[in-house]
Amino acid sequence: MADNLFRALADATRRTILDELAERSGQTLFEICARLSTRHGLGISRQAVSQHLAVLEAAGLVETRREGRCKFHDLNTAPLRRITERWPVPHAPNPEDSTS
Amino acid sequence: MKIHLTSVFVDDQAEALRFYTEILGFVKKHDVPLGEQDRWLTVVSPEEPGGTELLLEPARHPAARTYRDALVEDGIPLAQFAVDDVAVEYERLSALGVRFTQKPLETGPVTTAVLDDTCGNLIQIAGLPQ
């Protein structure tokens, strides 16, 4: 599972898909493709986007649900917690707070 | 050459005529009986009565269902209609009970949204640069 997570995050296009889903969860494949092409200039096929989504889904970062005849993709950031559980982030003071 | 007519497959022509006229605001142009149950049924924009006609074609062909289901699953619209302001139309149509599969999305100079026409298709509305 961890391997799936890191593999999913290793690709810039997949990170962009997560960014766009963070802005609005619940997108169709069509909307994701429109965002990638018009906002990021990524001219990739629907099939390629589908494959990226499958990788994100395998990592648990994207979940799909059916509503009527449509399929929507939602963001789930819960798997990211495993990263900080494996390499805990120290509770250091914020650098901006420690300038005194 | 110019685009005179384009079509969408609809489950029920009477219901489609109601949605396209009463909800979206098009006006009926031609309504000619064809056979026992079908009609040559077209609508046009009130802003362009002599403009491109939209044919509301019965989706009786066995391939039509497969084709439309596959497109709807992925959220792909079959036609695009221009509106002055997508946000205003989104509010107006939502208040009338229209379901959107994509809320208004700004992509550079163009804003789009995608709605369910209740007749089996998704339709995109677009606000284009003036």
Side-chain angles (χ1 to χ4, degrees), chain A residues 12-64:
Chain A
T13 299
R14 288 197 283 273
R15 293 196 296 273
T16 303
I17 291 173
L18 295 179
D19 289 340
E20 293 295 327
L21 285 175
E23 183 182 298
R24 177 155 83 207
S25 207
Q27 294 182 33
T28 62
L29 176 61
F30 176 79
E31 180 172 354
I32 295 167
C33 291
R35 284 167 175 259
L36 292 178
S37 65
T38 59
R39 291 182 155 186
H40 302 279
L42 294 170
I44 50 180
S45 68
R46 281 200 181 102
Q47 197 177 9
V49 176
S50 272
Q51 287 165 357
H52 282 309
L53 286 168
V55 174
L56 290 168
E57 203 175 341
L61 293 166
V62 165
E63 292 174 347
T64 61

Side-chain angles (χ1 to χ4, degrees), chain A residues 23-24 26 28-31 34-35 38-39 46 66-72, chain B residues 68-69 72-77 99 101-107 114 120 124:
Chain A
E23 183 182 298
R24 177 155 83 207
T28 62
L29 176 61
F30 176 79
E31 180 172 354
R35 284 167 175 259
T38 59
R39 291 182 155 186
R46 281 200 181 102
R66 287 185 173 276
E67 205 172 283
R69 298 160 63 216
C70 289
K71 189 166 128 185
F72 293 93
Chain B
R68 293 194 306 163
D69 283 350
V72 170
E73 172 170 324
D74 285 342
I76 301 170
R99 194 175 68 90
T101 63
Q102 182 205 299
K103 292 177 184 171
L105 174 67
E106 283 180 35
T107 55
V114 179
Q124 184 173 62

